[in-house]
Amino acid sequence: MNRAYAVMTGLICLLFASAGYADQPRPWQINFQDAATPIMHQITWFNHYTLWFIVPVTLLVLALLVVVALKFRASVNPVPSRTSHNTVIEIVWTIAPVLILFFLAIPSFNLLNAQLEIPDSDMTVKATATQWQWNYEYEGTPAPVAFDSFLLKDGDRAAAGKTDIARFPRLLAVDNELIIPVGKTVRVLVTAAPSDVIHAFAMPAFGIKIDAVPGRLNETWFKAEKEGMYYGQCSELCGKDHAFMPIAIHVVSEDKYKAWLAQAATDLPGAYKTLVADAGKPADGVAVAANVSK
């Protein structure tokens, strides 16, 4: 009985870890990815909030079009109306949009302010884009840590220990993920290499998307609430391999982050192999249930 209970508990933990502790695009997905930061929670709320305005307005316009098409068609209304204006209607269709825009503007301004106002950060990472990969540099660390992050090729999966397509999806997995501790406010400096083109650093589950412009330093921030592997992509058309420039952020516990950071300063491949070996454990919650196109 105890063994059966333990097995059932383990399966339940794996199920919820798959659904809630990592995210990536899913087949036939129409909603946002699950929110993993406070900003993304606000974005999700604002999306649902705006639907309470968009849906009624769309249905009202559709109903008016149907009424006009049926009631005022030539066969039942051979003599068209010569009405030039209606004061009540004109007041209504002026005031109503103003009120709707007012109720949309206030929460949208609050959301923009939360996105653009960088809070006191626990750590800073610089992300530099080039055609077609990302370079990450940790600032203020005891030892310098910087590395390139390329799309993981199918032939390199076995050597990297990333053969699980569900956990490391094709065309989204990378050779070196950005490693971040959970619950820490991370300031991200985003730019592109000189003489390169404009890219964009985007992570849907975190609610961030900011341009990487050559010669310009932009900044954004996030605070990951849950451990796991999260995937994004360059979201600015940047050339022939634009579709093969993924972003992978691995959120881990603070202890694992400190251990990785210390090892990465002298042995970057070994540091990643240690994390990959731990990724399959239920406590890490990295595995995801869905898969992307193969």
Side-chain angles (χ1 to χ4, degrees):
M1 178 64 71
N2 291 336
R3 175 174 292 184
Y5 178 79
V7 171
M8 183 62 68
T9 303
L11 290 175
I12 293 174
C13 291
L14 283 174
L15 175 63
F16 282 95
S18 298
Y21 290 95
D23 224 335
Q24 60 177 267
R26 298 180 176 89
W28 301 97
Q29 183 176 2
I30 60 174
N31 294 321
F32 292 142
Q33 294 183 18
D34 293 337
T37 64
I39 289 296
M40 191 57 199
H41 282 296
Q42 291 188 49
I43 293 174
T44 302
W45 176 87
F46 185 66
N47 174 66
H48 295 159
Y49 175 77
T50 57
L51 289 177
W52 288 101
F53 297 90
I54 295 172
V55 173
V57 169
T58 302
L59 294 177
L60 174 62
V61 172
L62 176 62
L64 292 175
L65 289 173
V66 171
V67 169
V68 169
L70 296 178
K71 185 176 180 179
F72 298 103
R73 67 185 189 274
S75 60
V76 297
N77 190 47
V79 180
S81 172
R82 295 179 179 272
T83 302
S84 62
H85 68 280
N86 185 298
T87 303
V88 175
I89 292 178
E90 291 177 0
I91 291 175
V92 169
W93 72 33
T94 300
I95 294 179
V98 170
L99 291 176
I100 291 173
L101 291 176
F102 176 81
F103 282 104
L104 290 176
I106 299 303
S108 70
F109 290 157
N110 290 335
L111 176 57
L112 285 173
N113 183 69
Q115 290 177 310
L116 297 177
E117 185 175 349
I118 310 296
D120 293 336
S121 58
D122 298 304
M123 57 181 294
T124 299
V125 176
K126 183 179 180 182
T128 303
T130 60
Q131 293 176 312
W132 289 270
Q133 54 93 20
W134 294 90
N135 173 271
Y136 299 115
E137 181 179 349
Y138 290 74
E139 299 189 359
T141 55
V145 175
F147 54 86
D148 293 327
S149 180
F150 288 90
L151 173 72
L152 181 64
K153 298 180 180 179
D154 291 340
D156 297 333
R157 284 182 173 274
K162 299 178 179 180
T163 55
D164 187 350
I165 300 295
R167 213 163 65 214
F168 304 100
R170 186 172 179 268
L171 302 183
L172 286 177
V174 300
D175 54 356
N176 299 320
E177 298 89 6
L178 178 63
I179 310 300
I180 296 296
V182 68
K184 299 296 183 180
T185 300
V186 182
R187 176 171 171 252
V188 185
L189 305 178
V190 183
T191 188
S195 303
D196 208 273
V197 299
I198 299 177
H199 303 269
F201 187 88
M203 181 57 61
F206 291 178
I208 58 175
K209 179 182 181 295
I210 191 166
D211 285 345
V213 183
R216 178 173 178 173
L217 198 63
N218 291 329
E219 63 178 349
T220 186
W221 72 281
F222 64 84
K223 184 178 181 180
E225 301 173 329
K226 298 175 289 189
E227 295 181 40
M229 191 80 75
Y230 299 90
Y231 294 100
Q233 290 176 298
C234 173
S235 296
E236 186 73 34
L237 188 61
C238 59
K240 71 178 184 66
D241 285 341
H242 164 66
F244 308 103
M245 192 174 170
I247 301 167
I249 298 180
H250 190 176
V251 181
V252 299
S253 66
E254 186 172 2
D255 290 340
K256 287 185 179 181
Y257 168 74
K258 290 180 178 178
W260 173 87
L261 191 66
Q263 187 177 2
T266 56
D267 181 17
L268 185 65
Y272 277 107
K273 287 184 178 180
T274 301
L275 278 184
V276 170
D278 290 340
K281 298 178 182 179
D284 191 62
V286 173
V288 289
N291 193 4
V292 293
S293 59
K294 299 179 179 181

